[in-house]
């Protein structure tokens, strides 16, 4: 007891030990909110990239790449690749936060598949763009030689198919497992989990590319919305945001007379 403390005041030892907990909780909350903001930024970046890059139907065309000029390689290196990698790794983190009970194993497996698949996909599509960027650069090759190199590269694009398809399958299975886990553990609204599962089955399991560019674009935007929703409910169940169904608790600090 110090001279400034009134007689009879007792400070419980546990109170002093518990003081750092709110600070750690606040730091964790700030970190998770920051991760969610990073997720949204990466989703915006990869969406801009997806609608900026030339349409891909199995062939990369010289005229399409040349029309982008010096922007083609930077847009892949600094926007597309990082956007996909960061968004899927951040999504994997929020999938882990949604893990509850026995169904949590599905979330953990799903997070692992989505995270690794996202990194592999980002690395593959970035590596794929580099030789085409050089071939379309007139400062590197004359146009005639560049077009010939495009033909050679397009003829060997199938070498990248195992990595690209494997990464997409890993991501799809990861998200599917995670959504089934949230459906069982009820860590996301039931309708949202079911809608997400239906999306994965329809847009990944069926050849929607044959339905046209509008359907493909709509499917991509639904994917972005689903990833953002996973991040949001991950924040909610991590305690970084109030749950809509939870009553507002009033905390009162009392002192003994």
């Amino acid at each position: 007891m110090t001279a400034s403390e009134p007689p009879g005041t007792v400070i419980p030892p546990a109170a002093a030990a518990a003081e750092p907990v709110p600070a750690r909780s606040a730091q964790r909350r700030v970190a998770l909110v920051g991760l969610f903001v990073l997720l949204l930024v990466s989703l915006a970046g990869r969406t801009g990239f997806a609608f900026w890059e030339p349409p891909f139907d199995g062939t990369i065309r010289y005229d399409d790449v040349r029309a982008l000029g010096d922007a083609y390689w930077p847009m892949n290196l600094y926007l597309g690749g990082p956007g996909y990698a960061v968004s899927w790794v951040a999504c994997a983190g929020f999938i882990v936060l949604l893990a509850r009970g026995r169904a949590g194993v599905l979330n953990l497996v799903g997070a692992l598949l989505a995270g690794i698949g996202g990194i592999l996909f980002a690395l593959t599509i970035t590596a794929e763009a580099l030789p085409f960027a050089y071939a379309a650069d007139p400062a590197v090759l004359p146009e005639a030689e560049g077009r010939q190199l495009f033909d050679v590269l397009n003829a060997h694009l199938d070498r990248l198919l195992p990595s690209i398809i494997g990464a997409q399958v890993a991501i799809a299975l990861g998200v599917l497992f995670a959504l089934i886990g949230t459906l069982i553990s009820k860590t996301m609204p039931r309708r949202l989990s079911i809608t997400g599962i239906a999306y994965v089955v329809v847009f990944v399991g069926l050849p929607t590319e044959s339905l046209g560019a509008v359907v493909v674009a709509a499917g991509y935007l639904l994917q972005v919305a689903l990833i953002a929703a996973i991040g949001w409910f991950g924040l909610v169940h991590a305690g970084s945001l109030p749950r809509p169904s939870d009553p507002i608790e009033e905390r009162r600090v009392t002192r003994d007379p």
Side-chain angles (χ1 to χ4, degrees), residues 170-185:
I171 292 171
L173 288 177
V175 174
L176 183 62
F177 289 160
L179 291 172
I180 294 174
T182 61
L183 182 63
I184 296 173
S185 60

Side-chain angles (χ1 to χ4, degrees), residues 7-27:
T9 302
V10 178
I11 301 177
E19 286 179 1
V21 174
R24 290 197 298 268
S25 178
Q27 292 173 355

Side-chain angles (χ1 to χ4, degrees), residues 14 73 80 85 99 118 159 197 202 213:
W73 175 236
R159 294 188 177 185
I197 292 171
V202 172

Side-chain angles (χ1 to χ4, degrees), residues 150-225:
F150 260 69
D151 294 337
V152 174
L153 292 172
N154 278 310
H156 293 82
L157 274 181
D158 56 345
R159 294 188 177 185
L160 293 176
L161 284 180
S163 297
I164 294 177
I165 295 177
Q168 291 175 330
V169 170
I171 292 171
L173 288 177
V175 174
L176 183 62
F177 289 160
L179 291 172
I180 294 174
T182 61
L183 182 63
I184 296 173
S185 60
K186 299 179 181 179
T187 49
M188 283 176 57
R190 180 181 178 85
R191 292 182 180 179
L192 180 59
S193 296
I194 294 176
T195 301
I197 292 171
Y199 162 80
V200 174
V201 172
V202 172
F203 282 91
V204 177
L206 299 178
T208 54
E209 293 82 1
S210 60
L211 299 179
V214 175
V215 175
V216 173
Y220 181 86
L221 293 176
L222 285 175
Q223 179 191 120
V224 169

Side-chain angles (χ1 to χ4, degrees), residues 20 29 41 59 65 75 83 100 113 143 163 172 179 189 204 224:
R29 187 179 299 110
V41 171
T59 300
V65 176
M75 69 185 282
R100 292 292 185 277
L113 289 174
E143 181 176 341
S163 297
L179 291 172
V204 177
V224 169

